[in-house]
Amino acid sequence: MQLASRKRQEEARQSAHEEAVLTVRNVKKQISGKPIIKDVTFEVRAGEIFGFLGPNGAGKTTMIRMLVDLIKPSSGEILICGEDIGRHPEEALRHVGCIVENPEAYSYLTGWENLEHFARMQRGIDNARIREVVAIVGLDARIHDKVKTYSLGMRQRLGIAQALLGRPKLLILDEPTNGLDPKGIKELREFVRMLANQGMSLFISSHLLSEIQLMCDRVAIISHGKVLAVGTVDELLHGADNYVVWQFEQPEAGRRLLAGEGDVELVLDEHRIDESLLAGMREALITAMNPERIASLVEKAVLAGIGIVAVHSIAPTLEQLFLRMTDGESIG
């Protein structure tokens, strides 16, 4: 019985290891004696979209450069499909497609000619594969036009096509929504989900927290070189503050009523929620509370003769969690 149990545990460990396409374990990086990345650990699983969030100077770009072997970690391990990138970089990186910062292309060439050029740098990439990635990114109609005629969204798609040429298991995108209009962002979100549904893993660095919330299965929040939290969006938001915005006909009486409730926190810093939600709302009172208490508080206010103009319940977002965890640092 013990032998069978140990065998099942070992099989479970092997399965979990195989499921992790990217494993970052206790990675540290110092530059000129200054710690930039401090003991970072996370993993990206097969077929998931993993978001990497952090304010300016948090270490996001440094981390990405280590993932693609542009710089070496001071200590720790980075494994891609089980291959240690420090010991076997070529074997590890053959599983990776990457766009770091802006996608690069020769504007005087057509999209097809650009892909032919990059295909020559890799083994086994023929015209059939180029046609395949062109179809995947939806550039069929414009692939033979010169890149200088492409919109930013089309250039982004061409860059992703280039990254897909080698059939990677992990696609790394650094700020992929930069400069895209709302339509382009929506198309990118749908495209990324399609790739994940096909079994590809995606690692996405972005400062657009609302998009990360819509796009990603799991996220890591990094600040000052340390990962503060890793988990699904639902896991991270579970237990986060729910905000309720109140408008009373007698604001001071309403404030006294809410202040007398032990399980209701009056929020003085309006920046803890999206300011656009407060547009046009005069003398609004913001509370952090369980929304299930709204009905009883409304009843209490009515019995006290305090008129209510409006009540708005605001679900927690990644942006609120991010600002709270990073002490309101700017995002970038």
Side-chain angles (χ1 to χ4, degrees):
M1 288 290 291
Q2 288 182 340
L3 183 61
S5 177
R6 282 199 298 271
K7 185 177 180 181
R8 284 195 298 270
Q9 290 173 356
E10 180 60 26
E11 287 173 350
R13 279 195 296 268
Q14 288 177 353
S15 175
H17 177 70
E18 290 168 1
E19 186 186 15
V21 172
L22 169 65
T23 301
V24 175
R25 189 179 297 141
N26 304 120
V27 166
K28 300 178 182 178
K29 179 63 180 178
Q30 290 192 349
I31 298 177
S32 300
K34 181 182 178 181
I36 306 298
I37 299 294
K38 307 169 186 175
D39 201 26
V40 165
T41 295
F42 62 84
E43 68 177 23
V44 178
R45 301 164 187 162
E48 81 169 345
I49 305 170
F50 188 91
F52 201 55
L53 307 178
N56 285 322
K60 299 192 307 296
T61 301
T62 300
M63 190 73 245
I64 288 174
R65 287 175 176 164
M66 288 191 287
L67 295 182
V68 295
D69 201 39
L70 292 177
I71 58 175
K72 303 288 185 184
S74 302
S75 62
E77 285 184 312
I78 298 173
L79 306 177
I80 300 173
C81 295
E83 296 284 356
D84 188 321
I85 198 169
R87 295 175 183 159
H88 309 290
E90 289 188 14
E91 289 85 346
L93 290 175
R94 66 187 173 88
H95 300 293
V96 178
C98 181
I99 301 177
V100 178
E101 297 172 348
N102 296 320
E104 297 294 336
Y106 296 103
S107 61
Y108 58 90
L109 298 178
T110 67
W112 181 273
E113 288 167 342
N114 269 276
L115 293 178
E116 280 186 320
H117 172 72
F118 290 111
R120 284 192 286 269
M121 301 179 187
Q122 304 179 56
R123 295 178 184 173
I125 309 299
D126 56 15
N127 283 353
R129 178 58 182 169
I130 296 177
R131 284 193 294 271
E132 189 177 352
V133 299
V134 168
I136 289 172
V137 301
L139 276 179
D140 312 64
R142 298 289 305 278
I143 194 61
H144 294 292
D145 294 347
K146 291 194 175 181
V147 171
K148 64 184 178 184
T149 68
Y150 284 11
S151 67
L152 183 59
M154 292 172 65
R155 287 173 181 255
Q156 187 71 272
R157 283 195 250 169
L158 182 64
I160 293 175
Q162 173 195 327
L164 294 176
L165 282 171
R167 299 178 177 85
K169 294 181 179 177
L170 173 67
L171 182 61
I172 298 173
L173 302 177
D174 185 16
E175 299 285 358
T177 56
N178 265 0
L180 296 182
D181 60 18
K183 182 174 181 289
I185 292 173
K186 181 176 182 293
E187 289 175 351
L188 177 72
R189 185 169 69 238
E190 292 169 350
F191 174 67
V192 161
R193 177 52 60 190
M194 179 197 72
L195 292 177
N197 289 341
Q198 294 174 355
M200 186 176 294
S201 303
L202 294 103
F203 178 95
I204 299 176
S205 164
S206 177
H207 67 282
L208 294 180
L209 299 184
S210 59
E211 282 307 315
I212 286 290
Q213 187 164 348
L214 290 171
M215 189 185 299
C216 294
D217 302 308
R218 291 193 308 131
V219 299
I221 295 177
I222 182 171
S223 179
H224 299 296
K226 292 186 67 175
V227 167
L228 304 180
V230 180
T232 68
V233 172
D234 286 344
E235 286 171 348
L236 294 181
L237 294 181
H238 179 70
D241 290 335
N242 284 270
Y243 294 101
V244 178
V245 181
W246 302 80
Q247 281 184 290
F248 294 100
E249 290 179 353
Q250 303 90 30
E252 279 307 312
R255 183 184 297 275
R256 287 194 297 271
L257 172 72
L258 296 174
E261 301 294 319
D263 58 348
V264 176
E265 175 197 351
L266 278 168
V267 177
L268 301 179
D269 180 10
E270 294 185 355
H271 297 292
R272 281 168 64 176
I273 66 173
D274 187 342
E275 293 176 7
S276 66
L277 297 173
L278 301 178
M281 299 175 66
R282 299 182 59 187
E283 298 189 87
L285 297 170
I286 304 169
T287 57
M289 57 177 282
N290 186 337
E292 293 179 1
R293 289 275 283 118
I294 292 175
S296 62
L297 287 176
V298 168
E299 183 179 2
K300 201 168 186 177
V302 171
L303 290 173
I306 304 171
I308 296 177
V309 177
V311 182
H312 303 268
S313 178
I314 302 172
T317 65
L318 266 185
E319 184 159 3
Q320 293 161 10
L321 178 67
F322 180 95
L323 292 172
R324 189 183 72 193
M325 295 185 73
T326 59
D327 297 322
E329 290 179 79
S330 62
I331 304 164

